[in-house]
Amino acid sequence: MKRWAFLVPFLFLGWTAAAGICGAAPAEDLERRIGELEKAVEESVKSGRGLSPELMEELAKAVEELLKGEKDREESEGKEPGGGWEEVPFTGTITVSRNLSGSAVMKEAGESGTALGAGKRDWRWSGRKESGGSPSSGQKGSSSWSGSSSAFLSAMITGSEPIPDRDGNVIGYQPVGYVTGRVTEREIFRGKHVSITSRYSRSAREEHSFSPESIDGWCRLTVNPREGRYALSFPSIYLGDGTGETVMVFSAPDLRLEEREPWHGLGPVDWVPSEPDRETLRYSPDRGVVAGSFTYALPPGGIDMDLLRRGLGSFPPELSDLKGELLSEYSGLAGEFAGAAGKTPGMYSGTWTVTWSLNIGKVPVRAELEPGGDYENWMPELIWGVGNFVRVKVKIVEPAGLAGKIRFSLEDVSREPGVCLNFPFYDREEAPDLVISEMSGSGLNIAEDGQSAVTLDDVNEAEIVVQARDFGARGKLSATAVVLAGGKEMEVRAVLKRTGEHWVTLPLDENRNGIADCWEKAYGICPCAADSDDDGEPEGKAPGDGLSAYEEYRGFFVKGRHGRLDPNRKDLFVYDPDGLAENAGFGQVTGLAVHYIEPEEGRCTGTDDRARVVNFRSGFSRLVDQHCLWIRKDTLPEPDPFNWGACEGPAEIGPPRTADRYVLVFADQIRADLERTVRENRPEITNALGQRGLRPDAAWFEEQVAAAVAMTTLHEACHGLGISHHYRSLRETLPKGADVEKAIMELDISPSTGQMSCVMRYTRDWGKHPRLTFRAESETLDMLRGRPWPHTLCDTLDDCRGQMVVSDRETGHIF
């Protein structure tokens, strides 16, 4: 299987990133190229094939030719010699972080009446359905795609060397320093019997030294002291020669194939796709500090019409008609792409954040942030309600011995409901999830809300303690030092030496998804989107379990103990007050990670307010209200032979949201039916057991009751996961041309067909089947004579495992 290369959004990002279109190419040639571009993109999106490398290269060259020179022209406007602008020496840091993600779900519309040929299905891409949506009866299964890309650039400018002309006059300055960069990318496709995982990573460092023979323009700072304005060009680094691999796994009950091929990631993506607003680039010439930041958000679908309009602002007059036509065409295309986001693979969106802190001339003061302890592996925890700690120190390292007041500030701190997904049980006031603790010491004045602190005296270094108040707590810590240097007061932002950033993420979170990187790496999913739901084990009708990666990281209380989940394995929560599912080995049979919870932990307390919802304290990256199953014993109002259990709900069975409040097991009826069957067939049973050295005594009978209760529990609980009776096997036993729906629904039969060991096989026949005339207890009698009670899920003709669906965003089995 050839994996796709979905890069449509980035082609348009490259288009809109440029500042305009030059008039070098004839109008008719420009129209032809635009038409070809539109046609290629439209066909690519419709077919789902993606763009070939050859087509990508052709388009990139065309766009580069059309847009060549305009960006340089705009940058040079207003900066001519004599206009008050001058290039200056500077030092400091520039950072760029880029985080992109996307996801889509593909529904299988097999058996829709379309002639597809042997072994083929009609796959259609569509958005996921929320719990209130109307399911489509034609949907047979689904596959999912998700992708994420996290990149970071840090430029350290350690000095600037003058650039002389032939006469020795300084005409500019060459910054000296280095740029480091890293990128991690991941795409994953999951479908029934197939998974495709692609990973790519690269880290690099580029040195920029001074050479009179070769001027390196990797970044420049130009200022206008009279107007207090400045212009800054941003650095970049190439990360395209890293290591990447696509692993394709095909699995079936009796077959497993694995293929590997190189993957080169998403390809080149601009480090700074948009420029900051020039009116905001102002500074104080007296202070000589140039600092700022801006964020660019790529809209869903990948076409930024606002950026494109700005780029076409200097469109040549002779092409004004074409400009209007171009904007109209791409406005419509942008709408189509935005509508396809979340429904079509390869559609990324995300943000770029660019920050800089520079000093004109040589930096007289430098302060550094230094996280303490095992910072790389720190995750927020609460032990008996008390949050754990992480220490961060700030030290003024240049010049040595300099002292000043140091101010700490927590920024972008989360305020999640509760402390995890299902605790506390009652509402509480939302508060910052990270605070500066009083354990930081007496030399600090800590703000009342715990979000900032300042040293009482001038110090050379200071350390604070940040305390977590939520298992998913996240935020950033920054610091500034106010010092006297060179006879004037200066405010210096502390820098994290490892990255050049002016903050420490808490916890360590380089891909900015709110999840501790150490947790992602432990499960092999780094990087991932916070709202991804890619759990692939065990296989079933659809991947995922309704809980996002961030939700699984933030975790749940299960029987009073907190735990984080495995993002690769589907999780199901069960309230099982009678121990029915746990004793039956529900987790082992289904392959799910089954968590047996207390009633309050899954809102199984009789309330109608979000009853059975387990993630009732979800906030960030919530996908859907995910429900648990509530399994309990019950008694029928009057005897009803062989009516052993019920999982009532609407015409749709599964996922868990569709089940009625209770999954019921009528244990008393099971016991009564087995007692009667033994009583009426004792000689036959005694003889059959005697051949095995067994006796139908009281202990033996209790074992049979327990096995029948376990089988019934598994059977009814699996209905809550969308698994139906053995209707495919039933069709094979009916006369040719028989009305299957009538046989199933009106005659109320689902006979003992299909794999014998499967719990979804009926253990009796109602006596109405046109070919079978067994007594109602016939298969039950077989079990009492020694045949093992069903205790598995089949993956043959009826494919019960393949029907299983856990996520409440998905569609179950429709009658």
Side-chain angles (χ1 to χ4, degrees):
M1 178 179 293
K2 184 178 180 181
R3 66 166 309 284
W4 50 78
F6 294 113
L7 296 174
V8 173
F10 303 126
L11 290 174
F12 287 97
L13 182 59
W15 180 288
T16 57
I21 295 182
C22 66
E28 59 274 13
D29 186 45
L30 184 60
E31 291 179 356
R32 178 181 60 79
R33 295 189 183 194
I34 292 172
E36 291 174 354
L37 178 63
E38 291 174 342
K39 184 177 179 180
V41 171
E42 183 178 1
E43 291 179 354
S44 173
V45 173
K46 288 182 177 179
S47 66
R49 295 191 309 269
L51 299 177
S52 67
E54 294 79 10
L55 181 56
M56 287 174 50
E57 184 177 357
E58 181 182 349
L59 294 174
K61 287 181 178 179
V63 172
E64 183 179 1
E65 180 182 344
L66 293 171
L67 305 180
K68 183 180 179 181
E70 182 59 29
K71 186 174 181 179
D72 292 339
R73 188 187 67 78
E74 284 197 357
E75 288 181 351
S76 65
E77 286 180 353
K79 304 177 191 176
E80 295 82 0
W85 290 89
E86 58 181 291
E87 198 168 295
V88 294
F90 66 101
T91 58
T93 60
I94 302 173
T95 64
V96 183
S97 63
R98 185 195 77 218
N99 293 285
L100 307 172
S101 64
S103 64
V105 166
M106 185 169 69
K107 300 293 184 181
E108 177 189 351
E111 302 181 15
S112 60
T114 304
L116 298 172
K120 295 187 178 180
R121 295 181 174 88
D122 181 14
W123 292 102
R124 303 187 187 280
W125 289 98
S126 62
R128 285 177 166 168
K129 180 181 71 63
E130 294 295 338
S131 58
S134 298
S136 169
S137 60
Q139 292 172 342
K140 301 298 179 182
S142 68
S143 299
S144 72
W145 168 88
S146 68
S148 57
S149 173
S150 172
F152 181 77
L153 173 153
S154 174
M156 304 286 288
I157 301 95
T158 57
S160 297
E161 297 291 337
I163 302 173
D165 62 12
R166 292 182 179 180
D167 299 326
N169 300 314
V170 176
I171 58 174
Y173 291 89
Q174 165 68 61
V176 175
Y178 60 89
V179 180
T180 60
R182 63 178 182 271
V183 61
T184 52
E185 296 174 337
R186 175 175 176 263
E187 282 192 351
I188 186 165
F189 170 88
R190 291 194 189 277
K192 188 174 180 181
H193 302 319
V194 61
S195 68
I196 305 174
T197 303
S198 301
R199 288 187 172 88
Y200 177 85
S201 63
R202 172 64 170 156
S203 297
R205 174 177 171 131
E206 293 181 357
E207 299 287 344
H208 293 275
S209 57
F210 175 70
S211 172
E213 293 78 21
S214 177
I215 303 304
D216 186 354
W218 63 292
C219 63
R220 284 285 190 275
L221 176 62
T222 309
V223 301
N224 188 323
R226 291 184 302 182
E227 299 179 9
R229 298 172 59 195
Y230 68 93
L232 177 65
S233 64
F234 298 102
S236 64
I237 189 171
Y238 178 67
L239 299 174
D241 53 355
T243 57
E245 184 180 52
T246 292
V247 180
M248 296 166 282
V249 178
F250 308 85
S251 60
D254 301 318
L255 175 68
R256 178 183 172 87
L257 298 175
E258 184 175 303
E259 296 182 7
R260 295 173 182 266
E261 62 181 36
W263 188 50
H264 302 291
L266 301 182
V269 181
D270 284 343
W271 279 107
V272 185
S274 175
E275 300 291 340
D277 184 355
R278 291 182 180 179
E279 293 303 315
T280 65
L281 302 183
R282 297 187 176 274
Y283 79 112
S284 171
D286 293 335
R287 293 184 59 207
V289 175
V290 172
S293 67
F294 78 97
T295 298
Y296 170 74
L298 177 67
I303 301 182
D304 188 337
M305 289 304 300
D306 290 337
L307 190 57
L308 182 58
R309 289 189 184 94
R310 293 198 300 271
L312 298 178
S314 57
F315 209 88
E318 61 270 22
L319 299 178
S320 58
D321 292 340
L322 182 59
K323 173 183 176 181
E325 181 180 345
L326 180 66
L327 288 174
S328 177
E329 291 281 345
Y330 278 96
S331 178
L333 194 59
E336 293 180 12
F337 273 38
K343 305 174 185 178
T344 304
M347 308 297 284
Y348 283 83
S349 61
T351 59
W352 283 251
T353 301
V354 185
T355 64
W356 58 94
S357 179
L358 310 170
N359 287 269
I360 298 173
K362 179 173 175 58
V363 181
V365 181
R366 178 178 174 84
E368 291 182 353
L369 287 158
E370 183 181 336
D374 193 17
Y375 165 67
E376 288 78 8
N377 295 309
W378 183 82
M379 289 189 291
E381 301 281 356
L382 277 71
I383 303 173
W384 298 106
V386 179
N388 63 345
F389 303 94
V390 60
R391 297 177 181 272
V392 181
K393 180 170 67 175
V394 171
K395 183 176 182 178
I396 303 172
V397 294
E398 293 180 10
L402 184 67
K405 283 189 168 56
I406 298 176
R407 175 180 294 276
F408 297 88
S409 297
L410 283 168
E411 306 168 8
D412 301 332
V413 176
S414 59
R415 290 173 174 258
E416 291 294 314
V419 298
C420 68
L421 272 296
N422 63 346
F423 190 84
F425 308 132
Y426 302 100
D427 294 339
R428 70 167 194 175
E429 183 181 356
E430 294 181 11
D433 295 332
L434 291 171
V435 294
I436 299 173
S437 169
E438 295 291 343
M439 291 180 62
S440 300
S442 58
L444 288 170
N445 180 17
I446 301 174
E448 186 176 349
D449 62 359
Q451 299 302 288
S452 64
V454 62
T455 58
L456 298 174
D457 302 315
D458 288 352
V459 295
N460 177 254
E461 64 178 67
E463 183 180 69
I464 64 165
V465 176
V466 179
Q467 183 178 19
R469 289 184 171 178
D470 190 285
F471 288 95
R474 61 193 184 278
K476 298 189 298 187
L477 178 73
S478 64
T480 57
V482 180
V483 297
L484 282 175
K488 63 178 181 179
E489 186 176 84
M490 297 184 60
E491 185 176 287
V492 179
R493 298 177 69 189
V495 64
L496 183 62
K497 185 177 181 180
R498 183 173 61 89
T499 65
E501 295 172 303
H502 294 285
W503 58 78
V504 175
T505 59
L506 302 173
L508 177 60
D509 180 20
E510 292 182 345
N511 55 18
R512 306 293 191 272
N513 62 358
I515 302 172
D517 289 348
C518 62
W519 185 83
E520 293 178 82
K521 293 175 182 177
Y523 288 104
I525 63 168
C526 185
C528 72
D531 60 354
S532 62
D533 184 17
D534 296 328
D535 311 65
E537 298 295 332
E539 283 194 357
K541 182 179 180 181
D545 55 14
L547 301 170
S548 69
Y550 175 77
E551 288 181 308
E552 300 208 10
Y553 159 74
R554 191 177 175 217
F556 292 80
F557 270 95
V558 176
K559 292 190 179 296
R561 294 189 61 182
H562 178 267
R564 305 182 196 269
L565 308 183
D566 182 344
N568 298 305
R569 190 177 178 195
K570 297 174 185 175
D571 297 276
L572 178 70
F573 292 80
V574 175
Y575 176 44
D576 187 24
D578 302 309
L580 297 173
E582 191 167 11
N583 293 336
F586 188 35
Q588 293 91 328
V589 172
T590 60
L592 300 171
V594 179
H595 309 279
Y596 297 100
I597 55 177
E598 298 293 345
E600 296 86 356
E601 294 168 348
R603 298 186 73 85
C604 297
T605 56
T607 178
D608 291 328
D609 179 23
R610 300 176 77 187
R612 296 193 296 114
V613 173
V614 293
N615 57 339
F616 54 87
R617 290 287 175 248
S618 183
F620 175 62
S621 290
R622 171 191 170 276
L623 301 176
V624 68
D625 276 357
Q626 183 64 29
H627 292 71
C628 68
L629 293 179
W630 184 347
I631 304 174
R632 50 168 285 195
K633 290 182 180 179
D634 201 11
T635 302
L636 290 166
E638 57 184 35
D640 186 5
F642 289 95
N643 182 5
W644 288 2
C647 180
E648 301 296 337
E652 176 189 7
I653 64 169
R657 61 174 168 77
T658 65
D660 204 351
R661 174 168 292 183
Y662 313 116
V663 175
L664 300 176
V665 176
F666 305 130
D668 291 343
Q669 185 66 55
I670 294 173
R671 178 178 291 276
D673 287 339
L674 294 186
E675 286 177 343
R676 187 184 68 255
T677 303
V678 171
R679 185 171 60 252
E680 294 177 354
N681 301 275
R682 182 170 290 278
E684 184 178 352
I685 293 173
T686 301
N687 180 57
L689 292 178
Q691 296 179 25
R692 295 177 171 84
L694 301 174
R695 294 187 305 164
D697 55 16
W700 167 86
F701 181 75
E702 292 303 321
E703 290 177 359
Q704 304 310 301
V705 171
V709 168
M711 179 200 69
T712 305
T713 300
L714 296 171
H715 179 102
E716 300 300 340
C718 284
H719 279 326
L721 300 177
I723 304 177
S724 67
H725 299 143
H726 283 181
Y727 292 131
R728 293 183 184 177
S729 296
L730 171 62
R731 292 186 179 95
E732 297 295 321
T733 65
L734 289 172
K736 186 176 181 180
D739 189 333
V740 177
E741 296 301 325
K742 181 178 181 181
I744 294 173
M745 303 305 294
E746 293 186 13
L747 299 181
D748 192 27
I749 62 172
S750 183
S752 304
T753 56
Q755 187 170 311
M756 286 187 175
S757 62
C758 180
V759 296
M760 304 313 293
R761 172 188 173 101
Y762 264 37
T763 59
R764 70 279 187 194
D765 179 74
W766 296 104
K768 299 177 182 179
H769 193 281
R771 290 188 181 178
L772 303 179
T773 57
F774 300 160
R775 290 176 297 173
E777 70 275 8
S778 59
E779 286 227 355
T780 304
L781 182 57
D782 285 345
M783 253 71 77
L784 294 174
R785 288 184 301 199
R787 198 182 89 189
W789 290 86
H791 202 261
T792 64
L793 285 174
C794 67
D795 50 15
T796 51
L797 176 61
D798 294 287
D799 193 19
C800 290
R801 289 193 180 277
Q803 299 177 51
M804 185 164 56
V805 57
V806 180
S807 171
D808 277 339
R809 293 201 294 177
E810 301 292 344
T811 304
H813 189 94
I814 308 297
F815 284 94

